[in-house]
Amino acid sequence: MQLKIALAGNPNAGKTTLFNQLTGARQHVGNYPGITVDHKEACIIHNGRRMTITDLPGTYSMTAYSAEELVARDYLVNERPDVVIDIVDSSNLERNLYLTCQFLELGVPLVIALNMIDVARDRGIEIKVEKLQELIGVPVVPVIARSGFGKEKLIEEAISTADRKEPWQSRNISYGEDLDIAIKELVEVISKHRFITDAYPPRYTAIKYLEDDDQILEKGRKHDQHVAEKLEKIVAQAADHTRKTLDVYPEAIIADQRYGYIKSIIRQGVQINTYATDRLY
Ligand code: GDP
Ligand code: MG
């Protein structure tokens, strides 16, 4: 069976370089229908297995804030690749893992390509790969996309992750007491009514509601007006509460907590800065 592999990551993390390394000259470049966002896809054969590799547009987030983000998310949700290779710029670990965190929440089968380890090394940054892998709970493969270092191991890891065929499962990141309660209520309603749950894990839909994600809200209203109203009411109450007590909207808390989750991982000895010029975690 043909495997579908998607390459995703922040802009400039090295996606296209890695894509070219993995696919050689066999790529096809086009645009997604109606918008000028690149869509690159190539078919390769690795150890007798056929696979298509898609280079998704670079994004910092997975919410409906830009065309790129929507394209990337819609691709993942509609095409359901067997595995997503998340290309992370290891010289900017914290910022890049913010997107990783959202892949974990979406629940896609994930492998992290820890790219630009040469750049990180030059800047005195050492990343403990095994520690990161253990704490983040998905395979991490160090690579240098520019030279091709690590690409064999990466593709092997991607294939074995794809072959495990684990169902999409949303990583349970805590958003603090107030929002966790709202998420629980939302998930109950979403699960009970099987509300847009085919494509998204219920917890993911709940978080997107709290993030005021236009696309998901609209999808929800079309799917079931009555249930959508119920969910929107829970969100309005949560927003009202966080605004009164903390003076912020839920989406700001969610972003903060995601960074907190990442920082707590990095602080546990994942990143060692050997030059004192950089801020130490
Ligand atoms: P994209 O935006 O994710 O597609 O990133 P690109 O593939 O265009 O890469 C951004 C820049 O980083 C390019 O100049 C690449 O040559 C460079 N680059 C990518 N991977 C590496 C790497 O592992 N090491 C080094 N030193 N440079 C890299
Ligand atoms: Mg690119």
Side-chain angles (χ1 to χ4, degrees), residues 30-156:
N31 278 336
Y32 289 93
I35 43 167
T36 54
V37 176
D38 260 17
H39 178 223
K40 264 201 261 174
E41 204 161 79
C43 217
I44 62 161
I45 296 175
H46 181 89
N47 291 341
R49 301 270 307 258
R50 286 181 73 84
M51 50 196 89
T52 46
I53 302 188
T54 300
D55 182 17
L56 292 179
T59 63
Y60 294 107
S61 173
M62 285 286 285
T63 309
Y65 296 144
S66 70
E68 283 80 6
E69 292 180 27
L70 273 181
V71 165
R73 186 170 76 185
D74 284 346
Y75 180 88
L76 297 180
V77 169
N78 299 328
E79 297 296 322
R80 303 195 86 79
D82 299 292
V83 60
V84 177
I85 296 179
D86 173 19
I87 293 125
V88 163
D89 171 359
S90 52
S91 67
N92 265 308
L93 194 59
E94 187 178 312
R95 176 150 52 99
N96 278 248
L97 289 181
Y98 185 75
L99 179 66
T100 307
C101 207
Q102 298 179 60
F103 292 135
L104 294 172
E105 290 186 293
L106 184 55
V108 294
L110 199 67
V111 171
I112 293 175
L114 194 61
N115 192 29
M116 309 231 193
I117 49 168
D118 56 330
V119 179
R121 198 188 302 125
D122 289 348
R123 292 192 196 159
I125 300 166
E126 187 195 341
I127 293 164
K128 300 287 185 191
V129 176
E130 274 165 30
K131 190 85 192 163
L132 175 59
Q133 179 168 290
E134 174 198 323
L135 293 171
I136 207 146
V138 296
V140 179
V141 182
V143 298
I144 301 174
R146 194 181 264 181
S147 71
F149 170 83
K151 70 174 182 180
E152 279 297 313
K153 178 141 195 280
L154 178 65
I155 205 87
E156 290 301 327

Side-chain angles (χ1 to χ4, degrees), residues 12 15-17 40 55-56:
N12 290 317
K15 279 189 315 308
T16 302
T17 310
K40 264 201 261 174
D55 182 17
L56 292 179

Side-chain angles (χ1 to χ4, degrees), residues 154-254:
L154 178 65
I155 205 87
E156 290 301 327
E157 201 62 70
I159 292 170
S160 38
T161 298
D163 284 345
R164 281 200 291 278
K165 296 193 187 312
E166 278 165 14
W168 288 27
Q169 208 179 5
S170 191
R171 178 71 55 90
N172 199 334
I173 294 167
S174 169
Y175 288 115
E177 209 177 323
D178 294 333
L179 290 190
D180 283 349
I181 291 170
I183 291 171
K184 193 159 169 275
E185 285 174 18
L186 291 166
V187 166
E188 267 167 27
V189 176
I190 291 163
S191 306
K192 189 172 150 209
H193 296 279
R194 296 216 40 77
F195 182 80
I196 47 178
T197 52
D198 286 346
Y200 305 89
R203 190 181 163 83
Y204 188 80
T205 307
I207 292 162
K208 292 297 134 182
Y209 260 80
L210 285 166
E211 284 184 296
D212 198 24
D213 184 298
D214 285 341
Q215 191 205 34
I216 302 279
L217 286 170
E218 203 186 307
K219 225 188 252 287
R221 286 182 201 126
K222 275 192 194 138
H223 182 85
D224 187 330
Q225 178 80 28
H226 179 67
V227 179
E229 275 167 18
K230 243 187 201 177
L231 297 175
E232 286 176 30
K233 202 169 150 210
I234 298 171
V235 171
Q237 277 167 355
D240 206 42
H241 179 72
T242 59
R243 269 194 310 120
K244 278 197 187 118
T245 54
L246 304 162
D247 201 22
V248 288
Y249 281 98
E251 53 203 284
I253 299 176
I254 290 172

